[in-house]
Amino acid sequence: MKSILKIALRIIAALGGFLDIGDLVFNTQAGALFRYDLLWAVALGTIGIGVYAEMSGRVAAVTGRPVFDSIRMRLGFGMGLVALIASTFVNVLTVAAELGGLAIILTLLFDAAFSLFVVLAAIGLVIAVALLPFGGIERIFGYCGLLMLVFVATAIHQGPDWSAVAHGFIPSLSDSKLYLYFVVGVFAAALMPYEVHFYSSGAIEEGWTEENLKENRLNAIIGYGLGGVLACALVVVSGYLFHPLGVDPADLGTVALPAQGAYGETGLLLALGGMMFCVGGAAIDSSSSDGLRPFIPCSVPCFVCPLLGRSLPCCGRGKWEPSRRVFERRLPSPAPSRPCEQSGVDIRVRRACGGSILADELLRMGELLAIYPQRPPGRSDGGGRTSE
Amino acid sequence: MQTGRRRPGVTAVGVALGVLLIAFSGCGDLSRDELNRGVESLGALAAQGELIANGVARDATKSTYARVMSKTLGGEAEHEAEKLADAEPSPEVKGERNAAVQIAGELADLFSELQAFPGDEHHGALVQKHMAEVKEQADAVVEHLTGEEA
């Protein structure tokens, strides 16, 4: 019973944490411009992110390594670096956009200087990333993001032509370049890389094993699936209200207008609150998911760990040793009072942080470049976690 | 035999021509299409203003939200007015351009009124009514420009 409750709570958190600023803006604009015509692209993006998340969770649970680490191991340092640069670029842009979004929402709620809220949002973000464990981030932002359900209620309240809504799920293409641009935009907004990084890192931090595969599947399918419902609700409410009026919801504040129309000030506050937690959660996820960890020496002070991708591939790096195929040979015992331990980062991060010697790290990097094998012996899954 | 080295004067002239081309590529008469897009965006702003004013009129909004949104959208209307006023219209759309500038100015005024009284239902109702009228005017200009019903 307890495990069912736990799974249900995680699904709820996944649902609440599904949307980010890209979804909010693109889905609302898609509805305003093309009414319900792009619902199929939202559904496709939702399926894509669900499948990819399930796959990364499965890889993480079986191999004991987050997805980024697996990419680096399988494809080598060069390809790992390309993936790192690409995803870091996207993540930096995403964090900047999420910070700006947070500041806009705070300005709408409290009407003070935008720049002040940018600074406050950045400080809050750093504090949350540094202090909160994965579970805490997931719960606070995931549960509070459920306020976004007000958009589902608004869609029902508006009473759109449901047959037209259903028709929107049938894929269609058009010659219009703007339409094609929005197809790509809506799809890409659902498939942000940080979501998968964070998801698989969560699996590592929570110590998932093969026994958790069912939980992983339920999380990915139901959690992301229900998240897709929220994304579709944004398209529907916008298509219903903005499309006939010709409103261009280019401002983030405009996204909340349909909820205000349906439920007055309460609806507006729920919408703004939900948007704030969605955008804030996404900012934390993306800033925590830069994938830099496997490329940063363990000599970097340990307190930096939570700021540079909490339990990301650093989790695995302390394991590798050329002779035994584990890293732990080079690293001394963990120092028990290191901050990484306090922040609940995976045990392997602690071990890695305990051994902060630059020379060792350089050697390890050399090993990575030169001798990282495609498939470590002793395990059929190729994940690199060697039994000790 | 000539080497591939270019003379500095030729390069400088080439660069200068390129810069001039880029600098003046945005200039020229305000076309019917451009004006149409500008007026359509004014209509969209008026529609948003109507929704916000409706919230104020029903006391169904938060005053900070109404104020900040009015400020943002009013700024956009003002910017659109400046853009349209600065542009040199082609002769056949001069009248529509002037109408568009007037609409943008009215919109900016209405948004600033909403910004000043974000919690006043009476003002909200008045602004909502005027926003609807401005939207109709913008639609009429679009109709005139395109020959289609907006």
Side-chain angles (χ1 to χ4, degrees):
Chain A
M1 186 64 196
K2 197 179 168 186
S3 63
I4 291 172
L5 184 68
K6 195 178 160 190
I7 292 170
L9 290 176
R10 291 206 64 174
I11 287 169
I12 290 169
L15 161 65
F18 182 82
L19 296 173
D20 65 12
I21 195 162
D23 297 296
L24 291 174
V25 173
F26 254 106
N27 292 352
T28 309
Q29 282 195 320
L33 285 170
F34 304 103
R35 209 162 170 234
Y36 313 128
D37 291 356
L38 281 168
L39 280 169
W40 67 270
V42 179
L44 192 65
T46 305
I47 292 169
I49 189 72
V51 168
Y52 194 28
E54 193 279 331
M55 199 165 62
S56 339
R58 184 154 31 95
V59 168
V62 173
T63 65
R65 288 179 182 280
V67 66
F68 201 92
D69 209 14
S70 300
I71 291 172
R72 191 200 56 195
M73 281 185 65
R74 284 287 184 157
L75 302 179
F77 186 86
M79 281 301 287
L81 199 60
V82 170
L84 167 76
I85 291 167
S87 67
T88 301
F89 180 68
V90 173
N91 282 340
V92 167
L93 291 181
T94 309
V95 173
E98 311 277 6
L99 274 180
L102 261 182
I104 290 173
I105 295 167
L106 289 169
T107 309
L108 289 168
L109 284 169
F110 304 109
D111 190 20
F114 174 76
S115 50
L116 170 75
F117 285 126
V118 171
V119 174
L120 286 180
I123 292 171
L125 178 72
V126 169
I127 291 173
V129 173
L131 298 182
L132 289 174
F134 174 81
I137 293 172
E138 189 187 35
R139 277 186 284 275
I140 292 173
F141 290 92
Y143 297 164
C144 294
L146 288 176
L147 295 175
M148 291 296 284
L149 284 171
V150 72
F151 285 100
V152 178
T154 301
I156 295 165
H157 178 90
Q158 286 173 337
D161 176 359
W162 289 110
S163 63
V165 172
H167 193 263
F169 286 98
I170 299 168
S172 60
L173 287 177
S174 150
D175 289 340
S176 158
K177 283 178 186 162
L178 188 65
Y179 181 86
L180 296 175
Y181 169 73
F182 267 88
V183 168
V184 175
V186 164
F187 182 72
L191 272 172
M192 294 302 281
Y194 75 83
E195 290 178 351
V196 169
H197 289 177
F198 197 71
Y199 187 85
S200 73
S201 299
I204 298 297
E205 192 164 307
E206 302 218 329
W208 278 11
T209 62
E210 289 172 37
E211 289 171 10
N212 298 94
L213 287 180
K214 203 170 177 182
E215 185 182 339
N216 169 53
R217 194 156 294 168
L218 284 172
N219 266 342
I221 295 173
I222 303 178
Y224 281 105
L226 292 176
V229 173
L230 282 185
C232 289
L234 284 173
V235 178
V236 172
V237 297
S238 170
Y240 180 86
L241 184 64
F242 296 149
H243 181 74
L245 295 172
V247 170
D248 174 22
D251 300 294
L252 192 56
T254 310
V255 175
L257 268 176
Q260 175 190 286
Y263 299 108
E265 191 174 354
T266 311
L268 176 70
L269 289 175
L270 287 173
L272 289 176
M275 285 159 62
M276 187 172 73
F277 281 104
C278 279
V279 172
I284 290 175
D285 291 2
S286 43
S287 62
S288 306
S289 306
D290 56 22
L292 283 173
R293 253 297 153 200
F295 297 87
I296 291 173
C298 273
S299 51
V300 171
C302 194
F303 68 85
V304 180
C305 290
L307 305 179
L308 291 173
R310 312 171 54 79
S311 55
L312 282 166
C314 185
C315 299
R317 57 206 289 237
K319 301 285 285 183
W320 197 256
E321 181 203 289
S323 58
R324 281 202 307 132
R325 308 288 183 191
V326 289
F327 272 128
E328 285 178 346
R329 177 176 67 99
R330 299 192 179 280
L331 301 168
S333 317
S337 60
R338 303 289 290 208
C340 277
E341 277 188 279
Q342 294 159 11
S343 61
V345 180
D346 185 80
I347 182 74
R348 281 161 292 178
V349 184
R350 295 176 206 153
R351 300 194 81 153
C353 292
S356 54
I357 304 163
L358 182 60
D360 275 353
E361 196 56 38
L362 291 173
L363 278 171
R364 188 187 72 78
M365 294 296 277
E367 285 164 1
L368 259 178
L369 283 164
I371 61 162
Y372 227 132
Q374 291 298 306
R375 183 185 288 264
R379 276 185 75 91
S380 58
D381 55 66
R385 190 169 64 174
T386 312
S387 51
E388 295 165 57
Chain B
M1 193 178 161
Q2 233 179 1
T3 60
R5 190 186 294 172
R6 285 182 192 166
R7 282 181 297 170
V10 174
T11 313
V13 169
V15 169
L17 277 174
V19 169
L20 284 173
L21 197 67
I22 292 167
F24 290 103
S25 60
C27 299
D29 288 355
L30 177 70
S31 70
R32 187 173 281 271
D33 276 353
E34 286 165 339
L35 180 60
N36 186 37
R37 279 197 294 274
V39 181
E40 275 179 348
S41 71
L42 289 175
L45 283 175
Q48 272 189 83
E50 202 181 335
L51 290 172
I52 294 166
N54 174 266
V56 174
R58 290 189 298 130
D59 193 19
T61 189
K62 192 167 160 39
S63 57
T64 54
Y65 174 82
R67 189 183 300 128
V68 174
M69 286 298 288
S70 305
K71 191 176 167 186
T72 309
L73 298 176
E76 285 174 29
E78 225 164 87
H79 180 63
E80 199 60 48
E82 286 165 2
K83 253 178 28 187
L84 289 168
D86 282 350
E88 187 63 45
S90 44
E92 77 270 15
V93 293
K94 198 162 187 177
E96 285 84 355
R97 194 283 307 260
N98 293 341
V101 172
Q102 197 186 338
I103 288 169
E106 275 180 45
L107 261 181
D109 288 346
L110 287 171
F111 276 120
S112 71
E113 191 153 339
L114 209 52
Q115 189 186 337
F117 305 100
D120 186 329
E121 287 94 332
H122 177 66
H123 263 98
L126 278 177
V127 170
Q128 186 186 353
K129 187 167 165 270
H130 286 140
M131 285 282 187
E133 287 166 6
V134 171
K135 169 103 171 74
E136 274 174 26
Q137 287 171 26
D139 288 347
V141 174
V142 170
E143 199 177 325
H144 202 258
L145 282 168
T146 59
E148 295 167 15
E149 202 174 317

